[in-house]
Amino acid sequence: MSSSAILRHQEDAVTTSVVAEAEPAPALDPTPKRAVGQLAAQWYRLNKESLRGVAIGAISLFLFLVVWHLLTTYRVVFFVRFTNVPAPLEVYASFTKAIHDPKFLMHLLLSCRRILIGFSLAAVVGVPLGLVMGRFKLIHEIVFPVAEVLRPIPAIAWVPMAIMLWPTNEQSIVFITFLGSFFPILVNTLHGMSLVDPVLVRAAQCLGARESSIFREVYFPASLPHIFTGLTVGMGVAWVSLIAAEMISGQYGIGYFTWEAYSLVQYADIALGMIAIGVLGLGSSLLIRGGGQLAMPWRSK
Amino acid sequence: MSQIERQVDIRPPQGHIEVEDFALSYETIEGSVEAVSNTHIHVKPGEFVSIVGPSGCGKSTLLNAVAGFLKPTSGTVTVDGEPVNGPSAERGMVFQQYSLFPWKTVRENVEFGLKMRGMPRAQRERAARTLLGLAGLEAFEKHYPERLSGGMKQRVGIVRALATGPKVLLLDEPFGALDAQTRVIMQQILTNLWQRMKISVLFVTHDIDEAIFLSDRVYCMSARPGSIKAEIPIPLERPRQQSMMMSSEFLALKRGLMSLIREESLKAMGGEISDLGMQGLNIDLHGHSLAEIL
């Protein structure tokens, strides 16, 4: 959020300076320059806090790398053993090698595809089911007990069952990813439905809205913030479930890559795999947050 | 005005509300509790009628029954001779809690009823703009409700309820959450809109000044179980001005209504406050109703 604000301000500053330079008024030459300077100062004053945050964040990340470097180069053993842990530069070297390796990219792409299919299915089934359960008591009464019994079972515990259920390995991994994200999405959608302000429903009825319109125009948008909470949580659990499933039963995928690196004593690749998982997880949750801001313009200031 | 009428499709004066032999009771674990009993009210087409009474006297219950949200236990509620079965766009409603859709802009909120009726986009946008102009809200059409003040929100609420050209407008303590200055301005805006649209209004409030200032007639409700205790015509001339609130005529009406309400409030509170304590309160009322203070 803060970074977008910074960007916007920068754009403002740039357009203003362009306009100022384009003006053919040599007599007033010093004025635009001072205006730009003032603008920059003002921009700095307004964004001081977020700039400070960015600076501290950068320093903190740098320090993390330095500590990692020191711990591994001196092979520190203090309960925790850093003897075999790869140094950051080793990981970087293996990263530069990996990005030219089609196999590594295939691992990444396959994991992303599994997430995309499993998570999308969970969203496509979970959100409408939650909406319908929240609106119709009978459906809630039928589905809820089953959901409550299945919900506490971690997706990883489904691995053996999934292998039995589905004809291919690929399908069972997607199924586990689906299960991981399905319940958070369902539960949050349901929660959102239960919090819809009844006065808004009555207001819509007084304006001539029928059942289907109330569903579309009131219940759905009112539940959207909670739906997106569910999607964010669901995406996190989807990655957890996917990596576990890939490590146990996979043949490809970034989770399999990480586990394989351990079996093949390629320690730098373990860290590379972990970082790749972290970056992909972060990226996908940013995508959902962006989607949320697009879908709910009334909530962004 | 004629332009607005064409665009918003406001029908000629209609909206005769009749409530006959009305009673409504709730089922509780200790048996049924009567909220409103033996009540008759009517609102003639184009008339502005208020219901005042102590808190919990069932005035909102009565209004919700006219809106169609509650079914009477006995008796009938009709508008223009047709019985009320559930809410409809023929009876616009304004709620105390504003109840604007937070995910719709001001204009989209006003358009909502027209959209439900299937009016094409361009046409309903034009109608909404005209109405927002009447309420002085043109500049805010693209804002989301969250960014509006309470008074602006409620103006949008009123305009939204009027947009579909309802036969009657029902208001449930619409200005209760506003500060005193804003409330006075809102009352003026509401009377102006009402005079332009010539629509029947049923207005529930606990503010006596507000009821007298706005209404042609005021019903005073008694404490639980609620029923009409008195019906007071307000002969003040229109258009009403703030200065009238200091006139002897206004003050006489207010004194009369206040004593009625005070009696009912005391009855409603039963033994909660001893007579001794009440005498102290009597002295300190400063022209406000007991219901207001409590």
Side-chain angles (χ1 to χ4, degrees), chain B residues 237-293:
Chain B
E237 65 185 36
R238 300 217 183 241
R240 305 247 165 105
Q241 253 105 42
Q242 288 302 314
S243 54
M244 288 181 183
M245 295 181 99
M246 292 297 149
S247 71
S248 56
E249 207 181 355
F250 190 99
L251 292 174
L253 286 163
K254 184 174 169 180
R255 248 192 311 277
L257 258 171
M258 266 178 61
S259 63
L260 278 169
I261 297 233
R262 181 154 51 221
E263 237 172 78
E264 290 308 323
S265 301
L266 283 173
K267 221 187 278 174
M269 297 195 320
E272 281 174 44
I273 294 179
S274 69
D275 284 354
L276 201 66
M278 273 325 296
Q279 253 150 32
L281 273 176
N282 264 332
I283 294 162
D284 287 329
L285 278 176
H286 287 309
H288 288 279
S289 82
L290 197 59
E292 246 176 337
I293 291 163

Coordinates of all heavy atoms in Angstrom, one line a residue, chain B residues 237-293:
Chain B
E237 N -49.2 27.2 10.2 CA -49.2 27.3 8.7 C -48.0 26.8 8.0 O -46.9 26.7 8.6 CB -49.5 28.8 8.4 CG -48.3 29.7 8.8 CD -48.7 31.2 8.5 OE1 -49.9 31.6 8.7 OE2 -47.8 31.9 8.2
R238 N -48.1 26.6 6.7 CA -47.0 26.1 5.9 C -46.7 27.2 4.9 O -47.6 27.9 4.5 CB -47.3 24.8 5.2 CG -47.6 23.7 6.2 CD -47.0 22.4 5.7 NE -47.4 21.3 6.6 CZ -46.5 20.6 7.3 NH1 -45.2 20.9 7.2 NH2 -46.8 19.6 8.0
P239 N -45.4 27.3 4.4 CA -44.2 26.6 4.9 C -43.8 26.9 6.3 O -43.9 28.1 6.7 CB -43.2 27.0 3.8 CG -43.6 28.3 3.3 CD -45.1 28.3 3.4
R240 N -43.3 25.9 7.0 CA -42.9 26.2 8.4 C -41.5 26.8 8.4 O -40.6 26.4 7.6 CB -42.9 24.8 9.1 CG -44.2 24.1 9.0 CD -44.9 24.0 10.4 NE -46.3 23.7 10.2 CZ -46.8 22.5 10.5 NH1 -46.0 21.5 10.9 NH2 -48.1 22.2 10.4
Q241 N -41.3 27.6 9.4 CA -40.0 28.2 9.5 C -39.4 28.0 11.0 O -40.2 27.8 11.9 CB -40.0 29.7 9.3 CG -39.4 30.2 8.0 CD -40.5 30.5 7.0 OE1 -41.5 31.2 7.3 NE2 -40.3 30.1 5.8
Q242 N -38.1 28.0 11.1 CA -37.5 27.7 12.4 C -38.1 28.7 13.4 O -38.3 28.3 14.6 CB -36.0 27.9 12.3 CG -35.3 26.8 11.6 CD -35.6 25.4 12.2 OE1 -35.5 25.3 13.4 NE2 -35.9 24.5 11.4
S243 N -38.4 29.9 13.0 CA -38.8 31.0 14.0 C -40.1 30.6 14.6 O -40.4 31.0 15.8 CB -39.0 32.3 13.3 OG -39.8 32.1 12.1
M244 N -40.9 29.7 14.0 CA -42.2 29.3 14.5 C -42.0 28.5 15.8 O -43.0 28.5 16.6 CB -42.9 28.4 13.5 CG -43.5 29.2 12.3 SD -44.3 27.9 11.3 CE -44.8 29.0 10.0
M245 N -40.9 28.0 16.0 CA -40.7 27.1 17.1 C -40.7 27.9 18.4 O -40.7 27.4 19.5 CB -39.4 26.3 17.0 CG -39.4 25.4 15.9 SD -37.9 24.4 15.7 CE -38.3 22.9 16.5
M246 N -40.6 29.2 18.3 CA -40.7 30.1 19.5 C -42.1 30.7 19.7 O -42.3 31.4 20.6 CB -39.7 31.2 19.4 CG -38.2 30.8 19.4 SD -37.9 30.0 21.0 CE -36.7 28.8 20.6
S247 N -43.0 30.5 18.7 CA -44.3 31.1 18.8 C -45.1 30.5 19.9 O -44.9 29.4 20.3 CB -45.0 30.9 17.4 OG -45.4 29.6 17.3
S248 N -46.1 31.3 20.4 CA -46.9 30.8 21.5 C -47.7 29.6 21.1 O -47.9 28.7 21.9 CB -47.8 32.0 22.1 OG -48.6 32.4 21.0
E249 N -48.1 29.6 19.9 CA -48.9 28.5 19.4 C -48.1 27.2 19.5 O -48.6 26.2 19.9 CB -49.3 28.8 17.9 CG -50.6 28.1 17.5 CD -50.9 28.5 16.0 OE1 -50.1 29.3 15.4 OE2 -51.8 27.9 15.5
F250 N -46.9 27.3 19.0 CA -46.0 26.1 19.0 C -45.8 25.6 20.4 O -45.9 24.4 20.7 CB -44.7 26.5 18.3 CG -43.8 25.3 18.0 CD1 -43.7 24.7 16.8 CD2 -43.0 24.8 19.0 CE1 -42.9 23.7 16.5 CE2 -42.2 23.7 18.8 CZ -42.1 23.2 17.5
L251 N -45.5 26.6 21.3 CA -45.2 26.2 22.7 C -46.3 25.6 23.4 O -46.2 24.7 24.2 CB -44.6 27.5 23.4 CG -43.3 27.9 22.9 CD1 -42.9 29.3 23.6 CD2 -42.2 26.9 23.1
A252 N -47.5 26.1 23.0 CA -48.7 25.6 23.7 C -48.9 24.1 23.3 O -49.2 23.2 24.1 CB -50.0 26.4 23.3
L253 N -48.7 23.9 22.0 CA -48.8 22.5 21.5 C -47.8 21.6 22.2 O -48.0 20.5 22.5 CB -48.6 22.4 20.0 CG -49.7 23.0 19.1 CD1 -49.2 23.3 17.7 CD2 -50.9 21.9 19.0
K254 N -46.6 22.2 22.3 CA -45.5 21.4 22.9 C -45.8 21.1 24.3 O -45.6 19.9 24.8 CB -44.2 22.2 22.8 CG -43.0 21.5 23.3 CD -41.8 22.4 23.0 CE -40.6 21.8 23.7 NZ -39.4 22.6 23.5
R255 N -46.3 22.1 25.1 CA -46.7 21.8 26.5 C -47.7 20.7 26.6 O -47.6 19.8 27.4 CB -47.2 23.1 27.1 CG -46.3 23.7 28.2 CD -47.0 24.8 29.0 NE -47.7 25.8 28.2 CZ -47.0 26.8 27.6 NH1 -45.7 27.0 27.8 NH2 -47.7 27.7 26.9
G256 N -48.7 20.7 25.7 CA -49.7 19.7 25.8 C -49.2 18.3 25.5 O -49.4 17.4 26.3
L257 N -48.4 18.2 24.5 CA -47.8 16.9 24.1 C -46.8 16.4 25.2 O -46.8 15.2 25.5 CB -47.0 17.1 22.8 CG -47.7 16.5 21.6 CD1 -47.0 16.9 20.3 CD2 -47.9 15.0 21.6
M258 N -46.1 17.4 25.8 CA -45.1 17.0 26.8 C -45.7 16.4 28.0 O -45.3 15.4 28.5 CB -44.2 18.2 27.2 CG -43.0 18.3 26.4 SD -42.0 19.7 26.8 CE -41.7 19.3 28.6
S259 N -46.9 17.0 28.4 CA -47.5 16.5 29.6 C -48.1 15.1 29.3 O -48.0 14.2 30.2 CB -48.6 17.4 30.1 OG -49.6 17.5 29.1
L260 N -48.6 14.9 28.1 CA -49.1 13.6 27.7 C -47.9 12.5 27.8 O -48.1 11.4 28.4 CB -49.6 13.6 26.3 CG -51.0 14.1 26.1 CD1 -51.3 14.3 24.6 CD2 -52.0 13.1 26.7
I261 N -46.8 12.9 27.2 CA -45.7 12.0 27.1 C -45.1 11.7 28.5 O -44.7 10.6 28.9 CB -44.6 12.5 26.2 CG1 -45.1 12.6 24.8 CG2 -43.3 11.7 26.3 CD1 -44.3 12.0 23.8
R262 N -45.1 12.8 29.3 CA -44.5 12.6 30.7 C -45.3 11.6 31.4 O -44.7 10.7 32.1 CB -44.5 14.0 31.4 CG -43.9 13.9 32.8 CD -43.3 15.2 33.2 NE -44.2 16.3 33.1 CZ -43.9 17.5 32.6 NH1 -42.6 17.7 32.3 NH2 -44.8 18.4 32.5
E263 N -46.6 11.7 31.4 CA -47.4 10.8 32.0 C -47.1 9.3 31.6 O -47.0 8.4 32.4 CB -48.9 11.1 31.6 CG -49.8 11.4 32.7 CD -51.1 11.8 32.1 OE1 -51.9 11.0 31.7 OE2 -51.4 13.1 32.1
E264 N -47.0 9.2 30.3 CA -46.7 7.8 29.7 C -45.4 7.3 30.1 O -45.2 6.1 30.4 CB -46.9 7.8 28.2 CG -48.3 8.0 27.8 CD -49.3 7.0 28.5 OE1 -48.9 5.9 28.7 OE2 -50.4 7.5 28.8
S265 N -44.4 8.2 30.1 CA -43.0 7.8 30.5 C -43.0 7.3 31.9 O -42.4 6.3 32.2 CB -42.0 8.9 30.3 OG -42.0 9.4 29.0
L266 N -43.7 8.0 32.8 CA -43.7 7.6 34.2 C -44.4 6.3 34.3 O -43.9 5.4 35.0 CB -44.5 8.7 35.0 CG -43.8 10.0 35.3 CD1 -44.7 11.0 35.9 CD2 -42.6 9.7 36.2
K267 N -45.5 6.1 33.6 CA -46.2 4.8 33.6 C -45.3 3.7 33.1 O -45.2 2.6 33.7 CB -47.5 4.9 32.8 CG -48.7 4.3 33.4 CD -49.8 4.2 32.4 CE -50.6 5.5 32.4 NZ -51.6 5.5 31.3
A268 N -44.5 4.0 32.1 CA -43.7 3.0 31.5 C -42.6 2.6 32.4 O -42.2 1.4 32.5 CB -43.1 3.5 30.2
M269 N -42.1 3.5 33.2 CA -41.0 3.2 34.1 C -41.5 2.5 35.4 O -40.7 2.0 36.2 CB -40.2 4.4 34.4 CG -39.6 5.0 33.2 SD -38.3 6.2 33.5 CE -39.0 7.1 34.8
G270 N -42.8 2.6 35.6 CA -43.4 2.0 36.8 C -42.7 2.4 38.1 O -42.6 3.6 38.3
G271 N -42.3 1.5 38.9 CA -41.7 1.8 40.2 C -40.3 2.1 40.1 O -39.6 2.2 41.1
E272 N -39.7 2.2 38.9 CA -38.3 2.4 38.8 C -37.8 3.6 39.5 O -36.7 3.6 40.1 CB -37.8 2.4 37.3 CG -37.8 1.1 36.7 CD -37.5 1.2 35.2 OE1 -36.6 2.0 34.8 OE2 -38.1 0.5 34.4
I273 N -38.5 4.7 39.4 CA -38.1 5.9 40.1 C -39.2 6.4 41.1 O -40.3 6.4 40.7 CB -37.9 7.0 39.0 CG1 -36.7 6.6 38.1 CG2 -37.6 8.4 39.6 CD1 -36.4 7.6 37.0
S274 N -38.7 6.7 42.2 CA -39.7 7.1 43.3 C -40.3 8.4 43.0 O -39.7 9.2 42.2 CB -39.0 7.1 44.6 OG -38.1 8.1 44.7
D275 N -41.4 8.7 43.6 CA -42.0 10.1 43.3 C -41.1 11.2 43.7 O -41.1 12.2 43.1 CB -43.3 10.1 44.1 CG -44.4 9.3 43.4 OD1 -44.1 8.8 42.3 OD2 -45.5 9.2 44.0
L276 N -40.4 11.0 44.8 CA -39.5 12.0 45.3 C -38.4 12.4 44.2 O -38.2 13.5 43.9 CB -38.8 11.5 46.5 CG -38.2 12.6 47.4 CD1 -39.3 13.4 48.0 CD2 -37.4 11.9 48.5
G277 N -37.8 11.3 43.6 CA -36.9 11.6 42.6 C -37.5 12.2 41.4 O -36.9 13.1 40.7
M278 N -38.7 11.9 41.0 CA -39.4 12.5 39.9 C -39.6 13.9 40.0 O -39.5 14.7 39.1 CB -40.7 11.8 39.7 CG -40.7 10.6 38.8 SD -39.5 10.6 37.6 CE -40.1 12.0 36.6
Q279 N -39.9 14.4 41.3 CA -40.1 15.8 41.5 C -38.8 16.6 41.1 O -38.9 17.6 40.5 CB -40.5 16.0 42.9 CG -42.0 16.3 43.0 CD -42.7 16.0 44.2 OE1 -42.1 16.0 45.3 NE2 -43.9 15.6 44.0
G280 N -37.7 16.1 41.5 CA -36.5 16.7 41.1 C -36.4 16.8 39.6 O -36.0 17.8 39.0
L281 N -36.7 15.7 38.9 CA -36.6 15.7 37.4 C -37.6 16.7 36.8 O -37.3 17.4 35.9 CB -36.9 14.3 36.9 CG -35.8 13.3 36.8 CD1 -36.3 12.0 36.4 CD2 -34.7 13.8 35.9
N282 N -38.8 16.8 37.4 CA -39.8 17.8 36.9 C -39.2 19.2 36.8 O -39.4 19.9 35.9 CB -41.0 17.8 37.9 CG -42.1 16.9 37.4 OD1 -42.1 16.7 36.2 ND2 -42.9 16.4 38.2
I283 N -38.4 19.5 37.9 CA -37.9 20.9 37.9 C -36.8 21.0 36.8 O -36.7 22.1 36.2 CB -37.3 21.1 39.3 CG1 -38.4 21.1 40.3 CG2 -36.5 22.5 39.3 CD1 -37.9 21.0 41.7
D284 N -36.1 20.0 36.6 CA -34.9 20.1 35.7 C -35.2 19.8 34.2 O -34.2 19.6 33.5 CB -33.8 19.2 36.2 CG -33.2 19.8 37.5 OD1 -33.1 21.0 37.6 OD2 -32.7 19.0 38.3
L285 N -36.4 19.7 33.9 CA -36.7 19.3 32.5 C -36.2 20.3 31.4 O -35.9 19.9 30.3 CB -38.2 19.0 32.3 CG -38.5 17.6 32.8 CD1 -40.0 17.3 32.7 CD2 -37.8 16.5 32.0
H286 N -36.3 21.6 31.7 CA -35.8 22.6 30.8 C -36.4 22.4 29.4 O -35.7 22.5 28.4 CB -34.3 22.6 30.7 CG -33.7 23.1 31.9 ND1 -34.0 24.3 32.5 CD2 -32.7 22.6 32.7 CE1 -33.3 24.6 33.5 NE2 -32.5 23.5 33.7
G287 N -37.7 22.2 29.4 CA -38.3 22.1 28.1 C -38.1 20.9 27.2 O -38.4 20.8 26.1
H288 N -37.5 19.9 27.8 CA -37.3 18.6 27.1 C -38.2 17.6 27.7 O -38.6 17.7 28.8 CB -35.8 18.1 27.3 CG -34.9 18.9 26.5 ND1 -34.6 18.8 25.2 CD2 -34.1 20.0 26.9 CE1 -33.8 19.6 24.8 NE2 -33.4 20.4 25.8
S289 N -38.5 16.6 26.8 CA -39.4 15.6 27.3 C -38.6 14.6 28.1 O -37.4 14.5 28.0 CB -40.0 14.9 26.1 OG -39.1 13.9 25.7
L290 N -39.2 13.9 29.0 CA -38.6 13.0 29.9 C -38.0 11.8 29.0 O -36.9 11.4 29.2 CB -39.6 12.4 30.9 CG -39.0 11.7 32.1 CD1 -38.1 12.6 32.9 CD2 -40.2 11.2 32.9
A291 N -38.8 11.5 28.0 CA -38.3 10.4 27.1 C -37.0 10.8 26.5 O -36.1 9.9 26.3 CB -39.4 10.1 26.0
E292 N -36.8 12.1 26.2 CA -35.6 12.5 25.5 C -34.4 12.4 26.5 O -33.3 11.9 26.1 CB -35.8 14.0 25.2 CG -35.8 14.3 23.8 CD -36.0 15.8 23.6 OE1 -36.6 16.4 24.5 OE2 -35.7 16.3 22.6
I293 N -34.7 12.8 27.8 CA -33.6 12.8 28.8 C -33.2 11.4 29.1 O -32.0 11.0 29.2 CB -34.0 13.5 30.0 CG1 -34.2 15.0 29.7 CG2 -33.1 13.3 31.1 CD1 -34.9 15.8 30.7

